[in-house]
Amino acid sequence: MSTRDFNEHSITDAVVERFADTPDPRLKQIMQALVRHAHAFVREVDMSQDEWIKAIGFLTRTGHITDDKRQEFILLSDTLGISMLVDAINHRMPEGATETTVLGPFYVQNPPLKPADADISGGEHGVPLYVTATIAAPDGMPLAGAHVDVWQSDEDGFYDVQKPGDDPNLRARFTADQNGKVSFWTIVPKFYPIPADGPVGDMLKATDRHPYRPAHIHFMIDHEGYETLVTHLFIEGDPYLDSDAVFGVKQSLIVSLEDGAGAPPAAANKPSGTIWKRLDHNFGLKPAL
Ligand code: BEZ
Ligand code: FE
């Protein structure tokens, strides 16, 4: 192959060839496919110089706004559906195992460990919600001792880490009991916008897309011998279930809240007469290979 005078037709093969000696075969495969697909994209849209400079500017702003608290590249991957595509490819679940969805940027490692029936709402306004969940293997065997991390936004759509102050709120870790069960009080979650004041928000605006995620509670569930499950439970009836800004909704993860009947269970701080909801759910973990 000639090593100079590349034109719009010959340049792709020349660049692919330049990676031919990559020692790691997987890296070689990825780099060569990246070049082929990126060149095909540029050809397909007949990219102008001006547009390419704009694209570089967009990525530069995405880098500049990213720090240890804000990860705009992940948000970009989420809003382009790439996070969910990678998730789907890597989590083909057997019967009886709960489906996965995006982690999102608001997970905090080692959240406060709370006892069964703890109230994680920290006094936030909202309709009280009593959650009970069982953690089991796909064959139904309860997974005692599983760690269950939960986190969610407040009624205004903000996570604790987005607000001033360091107190963890609406997040906790529970340990499943002998029957694989955890239970806690929280508040009914509400839909909220993903951070939209940066380049990803500009992209959503320019393309007439909204930034909302349907109401959900996040779960990360961990037990030795099983794959860590990262998922959410979405609330039936939410107006954004069919247009989640990050494509994270799966039918099997949509749950209905039941009206709480009678006095709230295990809730000394909920006066009788309180209107409350309940959610019962079974999670299945996939055995690790
Ligand atoms: C979240 O649900 O916390 C989330 C997920 C992806 C992007 C932004 C937020
Ligand atoms: Fe979330």
Side-chain angles (χ1 to χ4, degrees):
M1 181 188 299
S2 161
T3 53
R4 56 181 71 169
D5 282 340
F6 303 118
N7 60 33
E8 67 176 285
H9 305 293
S10 63
I11 187 151
T12 303
D13 285 347
V15 182
V16 167
E17 176 61 23
R18 196 68 63 86
F19 287 98
D21 295 335
T22 305
D24 178 339
R26 177 67 174 158
L27 180 62
K28 175 176 165 179
Q29 180 192 16
I30 287 173
M31 291 311 300
Q32 292 187 327
L34 175 67
V35 169
R36 274 196 303 272
H37 288 272
H39 284 216
F41 163 65
V42 169
R43 277 194 196 91
E44 181 184 324
V45 301
D46 203 11
M47 183 83 69
S48 72
Q49 293 278 359
D50 203 37
E51 288 162 342
W52 187 236
I53 295 297
K54 276 196 181 135
I56 303 275
F58 175 83
L59 291 175
T60 305
R61 288 197 303 285
T62 302
H64 283 164
I65 204 172
T66 295
D67 59 21
D68 53 357
K69 285 233 160 97
R70 174 153 184 174
Q71 231 305 353
E72 195 79 357
F73 281 107
I74 294 186
L75 211 52
L76 182 58
S77 156
D78 294 342
T79 51
L80 295 181
I82 298 172
S83 303
M84 281 308 292
L85 177 57
V86 173
D87 183 76
I89 290 170
N90 285 278
H91 295 104
R92 297 182 178 114
M93 293 313 223
E95 186 76 11
T98 300
E99 291 195 282
T100 54
T101 188
V102 275
L103 174 66
F106 302 122
Y107 177 65
V108 174
Q109 284 185 343
N110 298 316
L113 186 62
K114 297 272 166 106
D117 291 331
D119 186 346
I120 68 167
S121 69
E124 291 287 349
H125 292 293
V127 176
L129 173 64
Y130 185 60
V131 180
T132 53
T134 54
I135 321 301
D139 64 4
M141 181 185 71
L143 295 176
H147 281 158
V148 181
D149 290 0
V150 298
W151 66 107
Q152 70 170 82
S153 61
D154 66 17
E155 267 226 315
D156 299 322
F158 292 107
Y159 286 80
D160 53 0
V161 289
Q162 295 176 288
K163 298 187 283 191
D166 288 334
D167 282 350
N169 206 12
L170 289 168
R171 71 173 70 241
R173 170 170 293 168
F174 296 94
T175 306
D177 70 11
Q178 284 311 303
N179 301 314
K181 190 179 156 198
V182 294
S183 53
F184 59 94
W185 279 95
T186 182
I187 52 173
V188 174
K190 207 176 155 204
F191 57 80
Y192 66 84
I194 62 169
D197 56 345
V200 169
D202 294 343
M203 181 272 287
L204 295 178
K205 253 180 246 118
T207 55
D208 209 8
R209 285 178 55 185
H210 72 69
Y212 287 94
R213 298 217 63 209
H216 58 272
I217 303 176
H218 292 258
F219 291 83
M220 182 187 285
I221 306 178
D222 198 37
H223 189 283
E224 207 189 327
Y226 293 81
E227 286 186 9
T228 299
L229 172 65
V230 175
T231 196
H232 314 346
L233 294 179
F234 295 94
I235 312 301
E236 180 63 272
D238 187 282
Y240 294 106
L241 281 172
D242 289 314
S243 62
D244 181 5
V246 304
F247 306 93
V249 180
K250 291 177 175 170
Q251 185 60 40
S252 69
L253 302 178
I254 301 174
V255 294
S256 295
L257 303 185
E258 306 295 325
D259 289 333
N269 63 345
K270 307 271 183 260
S272 66
T274 300
I275 294 183
W276 59 285
K277 300 272 183 185
R278 68 182 308 150
L279 163 59
D280 300 302
H281 196 73
N282 298 330
F283 292 96
L285 298 198
K286 180 183 179 185
L289 290 178

